[in-house]
Amino acid sequence: MMYYQLLGPEIAVALLGLLVLACGLLLPAHGKNAAGYLTTIGLAAVLAAVILNFSQGAIFFAGVYQIDSYTNFFRILFLSAALLIILMSSRYTGWFGERKSEWFSFMLFATLGMMIMVGAADLITVYVGLELMTISFYILSAYLLNDRLSAEAGLKYLIIGALSSAVLLFGMSLVYACSGTTVFTGIYAALSAGPERPVLLAGMVMMIAGLGFKISAVPFHMWTPDIYQGAPTPVTAYLSVASKAAGFAVLARIFLSVFPAASLDWHPLLAVMAALTIIIGNLTALPQTNVKRMLAYSSIAQAGYILVGLVAANTYGLKGLLFYAMLYVFSNVGAFAVTAAVEVEAGNADLESFSGLSRRAPMPAAVLTICLLSLAGIPPLAGFAGKFYLFSGAIQAGYLWLAFIGLLMSMISVYYYLNVAKAMYIGTSRQEERVTLSFPVQTALWICLFATIFLGVYPGPLSELTELAVRLFIAG
Amino acid sequence: MIGLNHYLLLGTALFGIGVYGVFAKRNAIAVLMSVELMLNAVNVNFVAINRFLQPDAALGQLFAIFVIVVAAAEVSVGLALIISIYRQRQSVNLNDFNLMKW
Amino acid sequence: MNGFPILSVTLLLPIAGALLITLVPPTREDLIKAIAAACTLGSLVLSLVVFCGYDQVQGGMQMTEAIPWVRDLGVRYALGVDGISIPLLLLTNLIGFSAVYASWHTGERVKEFFLLLLLLISGVMGTFLATDLFIFFLFYEVVVIPIYLLVIMFGSSQRVTKEYAGMKLTIYLLIGSAFLLVGLIILFVKGRALLGFPTMDINTLAGADFPVGLQVFVYCLMALGFGTLLSMFPFHAWSPDGYAGAPTAVSMIHAGVLKKIGGYGLIRIGLLLLPAGARYVAPVIAVLALGNVVYAGIICLTQKDLKYIVGYSSVSHMGYVLLGIASVNLISLNGAVMMMFAHGVMAALFFAMIGNLYQQSHTRNVFDFGGLAHQMPRLAVGFMLAGLASLGLPGTANFIGEFTIFVGAFGVYNVLTILAISGIVITAVYILRTLGGVLFGPRRPEWDHLQDLRGVDMVPLLVLGGAILVGGILPFTIMDPINSGIGQLLGQIGPGQIGGIL
Amino acid sequence: MQDLMSLIWLIPVLPFLAFASIGLLLHRWPRLSAAVSIAAIGASFLLSLLVAIEIFGGDPGRVFEMSVRWLEMPGLKVDMGILVDPLTAVMLLVVTTVALLVQVYSLGYMEGDPGWASYFSYQSIFAGSMLGLVVANNFGQLFVFWELVGMCSYLLIGFWFGKPSARDAAIKAFVTNRIGDFGFLLGILFLAVVFGTLDFGQLAALIPAYHNLAVLLPVAILLFFGPVGKSAQFPLHVWLPDAMEGPTPVSALIHAATMVAAGVYLIARAFFIFSQVPQAMLLIALVGGFTALFAASIALVQNDIKRILAYSTLSQLGYMVMAMGVGAMTAGMFHLMTHAFFKSLLFLAAGSVIHTLHGEQDIWKMGGLARKMPITTWTFVIGALALAGIPPLAGFWSKDEILLGAYAGGYTGLYLLGSLVAFMTAFYMFRLIFTAFFGGNKGGEHAHESAPVMTGPLVILAVLSVVAGLVGSPLTGNYFGHYISVPGVAHHPANPVIMSVSSLLALAGIGLAWLIYQKQSVQAEDLRQRWSPLYELLRHKFYIDEFYAWLGKTFVDSGARALEWIDLKLVNGAVNGLAYLTGWSGRTLRYIVNGQVQSYAIWVVFGVALLLATALMTVFTVLV
Amino acid sequence: MKIDDLVFLIISGFTVASALGVVLSRNIVHSALALILTFIGVAMLFFGLGASFLGLVQILVYAGAVSVLTIFAIMLVMKPDPASTNPSTPSRATHILGGLLAWSVVVGLGMAIGFSRWPSLPAEPAGFDTVGVLANLLLGNYVVAFEAAAVLLLLAVVGAIILAKGAEKP
């Protein structure tokens, strides 16, 4: 007896995407907003469904596909991220003109790809899900057809993405060559049985590289700033929170359920990667003057923090990973939502456009400040709780130096976050009229604000959730 | 006696050639083609591994099929991207696309 | 007070006020100020109730509250007061209350100002009330950001721009707190390993006997973190610039209370959890303390900006506190806590007076003034009170603190203490020079337009000056709780583990 | 009688209450403030009188003690206590008497001064602190009030804060005292740490049994720092002459009669420590003697009436300290008492002159006052005679006791020195008198006698200056010494030779002064010419102030500037440098992202190669 | 030396050569043609490995569709003179660095492959229905991936149309 209804979310999202696509074709131009509402409602419904049977799980197709609390956790993450971004982009999508509804459907397909990635327990399915997501993002990041930056971003993303997915594939092929199967459980069994082969290690590291591109870990991070700056802001936001989280989800699942069989101790390797990512991301973010680009570098640094959880690979570390990925959604989307609003007002996301915002739009300014500080890990905001988990895990695993680097750098990062706050609070703006926000954007802002503060002041509930999610990998 | 390792080495060689192409060509389309080379290398690996390890199953071929499908999609989107950027810049030279840097 | 969560109410009252203020339209400035005043007054009254209701005979943590917060981290929302935290809680509210009045004349962006100020006050209070490391650190860092915003929005640029000052302050303290946080996490992880269950409760962790090497290492980290906040030489660079750049209220709270969190943490966390480490590191701290006292004191001699003088002098006075903490014994620790209280009130009064003067005259250069006692006798009284307190005159609380510290420290570090005592001469020199330069001398007509303190301006003078005198004339009112608290703490450690003459 | 003793605590507390009430409520009504202040000190005076009667009625050993808990913790206990023994009783009497008279006198002297109310409040708090110091029963309390009287003197010296000179004098006084207190505090800390208590009674019990000179010597010397500062002994004497910037009654009360004598009182009070340490005693004696001579010599050439009196105060204090040093504690206290009377008399009389001359203080601009203001003049003469030690005035007896003590104690050198000082004293006092009061200068035309409220105290003090000596004179069987004496130290019988010698010397001094300044048989100008180097030296007070100023400028100020440079350039520089380094590395790193997508690709593959290398290295090391 | 070894060597040599042609030719059209040859070579390898179905797919999709698409794109963005349409990056550093990197990757992988032990070629199972097995897998265990691929193709088509069609001129 297989619980096919547990596949409901994927199916629902796919159908929703097709439906929205159809809407775009059928509805007249003015009715294209309907696509937005439809997407919102649909996503909300799916999200509710997933949350309702969070704890249910099943294994499908001889282990090829697997629904468990881990999967559900990330499904929730993706769906809520998508929901928030659909909300925040209500004004922004005006720039997409005729192609608005298709934009919604691409977002949905990307979401579907991510859900498949986390659900998959098999290399092939992982690969297909990943490509589904990535190719949607190629299109989405080039979606502002009149904008030179957007097109350039799309092309750059395509080239690097194709290259790294080829690398990933090559690694997969080598792993397959050593194990003779693509199902995680099978690979694990085969590897633990069979003799040690150098080629396996080669495959592993190439897979690390391929996924490292998705999470933009140093040195696979170079694309991030350009794409983040060029892509439409909602896409950037989605890219930064969801695609990264998906990459981490797959990475964690593979590392924890497959690689333990291999003799290579990959923790120090990842530790160095994490340290480099944190350092370079933060340092390079310091001199940025474009807020989107600055957020891109900061997101590199954040990836480094999340990676720390994987390095630690113990309960606290993994809980930190999930916790951080989740709060990162709210904090980062909040930041990007305000950025998008400013961009719609001023036409660009340069720091000057933010100056004096606190007078023209007190609430968004406050939200941006708080979200950025949460990213910096200042209590009592969500980021602090997440970092606490991560670095407790790291220290427990004996990576004291990593904890030092991470915390010092996160304090240095306060500098560039506060620069934005400074511009907003003591800068002077050319125009004085108040920034008007549409209702959905305000909703998104309020949600982000509330979540960021609540998760920081009272992390209990979410940590319980993560507890359930990591129980698969670590007994007790 | 030709073994699996020879096929893998061939795949590796194709892969390396593709990588070099990605580095060295200025024309975006050529870079795309080099990526296709890399994917083909992967396919060679899959099929050969499939043949040598489990001739009575088709997992590797299945993977190869998916790779081909994805590659096709990738190429079409990629070419479309190149065309749209060509419409803006009248160029497909990657060295020209550096509006965003630092 | 069984049942009634008095500490939580005290703690959350200003936050509630802040939330209330968010709802008030920015134009209703009077209403906003009224709310702020009411909330801080409420907290002040409640903390007085706590102060009186605390049972010294029984001692220990009282009026405790605990709510499970994060299960797997063993974090509990736990509040409690003992003899050490009570005076500091009182200090916080005294200064918070007077800070509201000292900034009564804030003209622009009143809403933001008082909102942030209230958050700041609550944050500081929280550190003294929390008995759980996690909650402690939460509040410890909460205060940083409001301060930054207050500085850049309402600060003043004299020698350094307010942006520079604010950023320096913020980043410096945050980097210090990074070391501290690493230390806390190490404690948490090791404590979990030693005790077998995760907990962040300070007293519970005190039960785990950490290995000595670890204690030393972690105590060093804490000395870095807390020491930075306490402006321990040579980590004091943020302090004078920060105070100079900050608006009056922030200088008051920062110099008055915030710094004291460092000393409080070194005693409550460092000493209680890591006695061996404390003993090991103490001599180094003592030497640095000397650096504070003499080095910063002598620098004061050349300062011309009033705020720089007080800033450096507060650095120098923190040296006494550090000396008291470094010579780990009952008397010196009593003295250290007393000194924290006394210096807090004194510095706050000083900054309140300077702020009032600066807001009218727009200069803080000593040489621009002279003979102000002619025009502003009440202000002169405030200045004299603060000045005489800061040079440790008997009859002011500062004398009690310094004297006790000296008695406690002298038996441990003779030479260092003798050198440190020379600080009282240095202090006398620069304080008297300053007072003489500003208040005395011939009347200068260009300052005839200055208004003397009146109405609400008197509140800081009365509240803080009263506290100074009460602490100095009836020292037992404050010293007895401190003594009971420190005694309890040392008893908890056990005499075998620490040095000291007693 | 016990109920009287239980009221003693009121003696210091009443003036404090007066101060508080004036400061908080009454300062708007000056006359009322003055009334309250005088009433308070008057009440204290009556109480002290009763106490003195009680004490001197009974046997010398009687001690009354009470205390309240003030600052207490395990290992440190400072009470606020009352210790009344003959020593205290005398001091109480002296302090309250002089304070009362001075305050009454001030009614006239400070007429119409805008700071009237605050003046009286300061007077009250000074009186309170001084009395608290006197009755202290432990070193902690003593130090507290010791500092408080220092503050009062600071406030009162700087009372006319509009005058820069007054401001600077006040600062100088406070800082100099601080330097003394620095040592004093160290001594107290030593006691606290070594003996674990600060209580006089307990210490007095412990110390004799404690023979470790290595501890006691530093303790004694450090404790002596206090008197050196407070009683303005060399080398910390510089503040007292400048302190004359304050109102003259203040100089009379604080800088002549009471506060400066506190140092001597401290030595007497802590005599049980000093007497254990001969070396310290010798040091004290030498310092005292030197100060006496040194100050007297400066007084010879001063022209400011108040400064002359100030230097004479210095030299008299040196006398007392010397007396303590040679072990003649009784004599020292005796001289303290008498000196309090006649010196305050002198100051108040001088004040009356200054008052009527509208602030003129140069004796060469006075003259012929004797006719204009007889009371002032003759009281002043009485005071001068007393000071010069002309029998049978008070000064004669006490000074004689000191010389006797020095001589009998075997300190012949000091004895000779003391005699010389006696001669000089007589000379400079009458130089002053002949110039200012009987001189032919035309300074004093418009002078007129002061109001009774001022002359009254003068008369009273004159009487006291005459009779006060009797209590200690052999004629009365040395009543004083019977009560105030060091147990075990026998009192030397009066020595007629010494008496006659000293009085003859005094007369000689007067005569010389008469020759030079009245009869002018020798021109002062010629002397000046002949001894000009010595004269210049004296006139510039041996250049001590200049020397200190130079010290301060060269070491303190430049050192401070150097440290400030270090702080700004090194400490701050390190911080800013680190910040700049961080930012610089960021600015450098950003250029790696050069916008060329293919270089990104190169980086990706570079990472792959790196990972491959590490992985293969590990595995090959495993395999091989 | 068996015959199919020889065949393998020839085919692989041919494939590598044409691959090199793709990256080395200065004329983009020539590169495209070389690419087609490479695809065909790979397809022949598939046939040699008994994956005839996959070989066909390879020829149809790659040598057919993808190549034609590519050439269309080339025609659309072609410069007047075909000679210099496919230049290499001018910077020599890129060439050397990139070449070395590519080479080191190849060497590394080669070492990894060389040092690993591999099974020898097993006999071809008789009557093995590749297509049937594939069909079962596609619609069985891998139905999720299959559907995802379907969505992916649709998405790619729509996306390609949107991107290529370009923005509506306001």
Side-chain angles (χ1 to χ4, degrees), chain A residues 316 319 358-359 369 373 377-380 384-385 388-389 391-392 395-396 400 403-404 407-408 411-412 414-415 418-419 421-422 424-426 456-460 463-464 467, chain C residues 68-73 108-109 112 134 137-139 141-142 145 148-149 152-153 162-163 167 170-171 174-175 177-179 181-182 184-186 188-189 192 198 200 217 221:
Chain A
Y316 285 139
K319 291 177 69 171
S358 70
R359 295 173 181 279
T369 316
L373 290 174
I378 300 293
F384 171 70
F388 194 91
Y389 273 109
F391 290 112
S392 307
I395 289 179
Q396 201 175 12
L400 186 57
F404 266 116
L407 288 171
L408 279 180
M411 293 317 172
I412 286 175
V414 174
Y415 177 80
L418 281 187
N419 268 339
K422 187 167 78 185
M424 289 191 301
Y425 278 94
I426 62 174
V457 174
Y458 188 42
S463 83
E464 299 296 329
E467 184 86 46
Chain C
W69 209 246
V70 189
R71 189 177 48 74
D72 61 334
L73 294 179
E108 49 149 16
R109 308 179 88 173
E112 287 96 329
F134 192 87
F137 194 79
L138 223 59
F139 285 111
E141 273 195 350
V142 162
I145 297 311
Y148 176 73
L149 292 176
I152 62 168
M153 285 162 76
K162 57 186 182 182
E163 292 83 358
M167 192 57 89
T170 313
I171 303 289
L174 282 177
I175 287 181
S177 73
F179 288 100
L181 180 54
V182 174
L184 294 186
I185 295 180
I186 295 178
F188 165 64
V189 171
R192 184 171 180 275
M200 288 261 189
F217 178 61
L221 293 178

Side-chain angles (χ1 to χ4, degrees), chain C residues 8 47 56 60 76 78 137 165 291 377 425 455 500:
Chain C
S8 293
S47 54
Q56 291 172 31
R76 299 177 316 146
F137 194 79
V425 180

Side-chain angles (χ1 to χ4, degrees), chain D residues 191-262:
Chain D
L191 289 174
V193 172
V194 175
F195 297 99
T197 175
L198 294 175
D199 186 87
F200 289 142
Q202 301 178 13
L203 282 173
L206 287 170
I207 299 250
Y210 188 88
H211 297 304
N212 182 355
L213 264 186
V215 174
L216 282 186
L217 180 61
V219 170
I221 290 175
L222 287 171
L223 286 179
F224 181 55
F225 266 69
V228 170
K230 196 62 85 192
S231 295
Q233 296 302 293
F234 182 86
L236 295 184
H237 63 281
V238 288
W239 65 272
L240 186 52
D242 294 11
M244 295 305 131
E245 290 293 338
T248 312
V250 171
S251 316
L253 174 60
I254 299 182
H255 306 116
T258 53
M259 184 190 87
V260 288

Side-chain angles (χ1 to χ4, degrees), chain B residues 2-101:
Chain B
I2 297 298
L4 176 53
N5 47 352
H6 298 84
Y7 282 93
L8 294 182
L9 286 173
L10 171 62
T12 313
L14 285 178
F15 190 80
I17 295 170
V19 168
Y20 177 72
V22 172
F23 294 159
K25 308 309 285 186
R26 293 170 71 182
N27 189 323
I29 298 179
V31 171
L32 217 51
M33 293 198 276
S34 317
V35 173
E36 294 307 316
L37 280 181
M38 295 164 75
L39 294 178
N40 273 276
V42 174
N43 279 354
V44 172
N45 282 8
F46 275 124
V47 175
I49 296 161
N50 186 355
R51 173 73 182 78
F52 277 81
L53 266 62
Q54 35 186 204
D56 51 356
L59 205 53
Q61 298 193 25
L62 185 73
F63 212 142
I65 290 179
F66 278 115
V67 173
I68 292 172
V69 172
V70 169
E74 216 167 49
V75 169
S76 56
V77 172
L79 292 173
L81 264 172
I82 291 170
I83 289 169
S84 78
I85 199 166
Y86 178 79
R87 192 182 293 113
Q88 290 178 353
R89 313 253 185 114
Q90 305 307 318
S91 153
V92 291
N93 181 341
L94 287 175
N95 295 16
D96 302 346
F97 304 150
N98 60 354
L99 286 178
M100 300 171 292
K101 49 173 172 286

